[in-house]
Amino acid sequence: MQKETLTVEGMSCGHCVKVIEGSVAKLDGVKSVQVSLEEKKVEVEFDDSQVKLNEIKETIDDQGYDVV
């Protein structure tokens, strides 16, 4: 398992949190995802033999948020 913390711009409300958590959690290999709206951070734990960090970042980007 690998754990990464990403900085994500563009989140402004609880709906944003739910969208990101829901879309990332659907990826095969993701064990957990937690979003901190206040810190603009997304912490994700995943099996990197099943899903790559770039796929997670692209999933967040596809929802309209910017991973920096």
Side-chain angles (χ1 to χ4, degrees):
M1 285 293 174
Q2 185 173 339
K3 188 179 272 189
E4 294 286 340
T5 301
L6 307 171
T7 300
V8 178
E9 297 290 334
M11 300 185 297
S12 62
C13 64
H15 174 74
C16 301
V17 171
K18 287 182 182 181
V19 167
I20 292 173
E21 286 179 342
S23 62
V24 173
K26 288 180 185 176
L27 296 171
D28 289 337
V30 172
K31 181 180 177 187
S32 68
V33 57
Q34 294 182 337
V35 177
S36 171
L37 186 60
E38 298 81 25
E39 295 179 11
K40 300 181 182 178
K41 302 281 184 192
V42 176
E43 184 177 279
V44 60
E45 187 174 2
F46 60 99
D47 181 344
D48 64 349
S49 69
Q50 291 185 287
V51 63
K52 300 299 179 202
L53 185 58
N54 271 353
E55 292 175 75
I56 295 168
K57 289 178 178 180
E58 287 174 11
T59 298
I60 295 170
D61 283 339
D62 288 347
Q63 301 305 312
Y65 306 98
D66 297 317
V67 179
V68 282

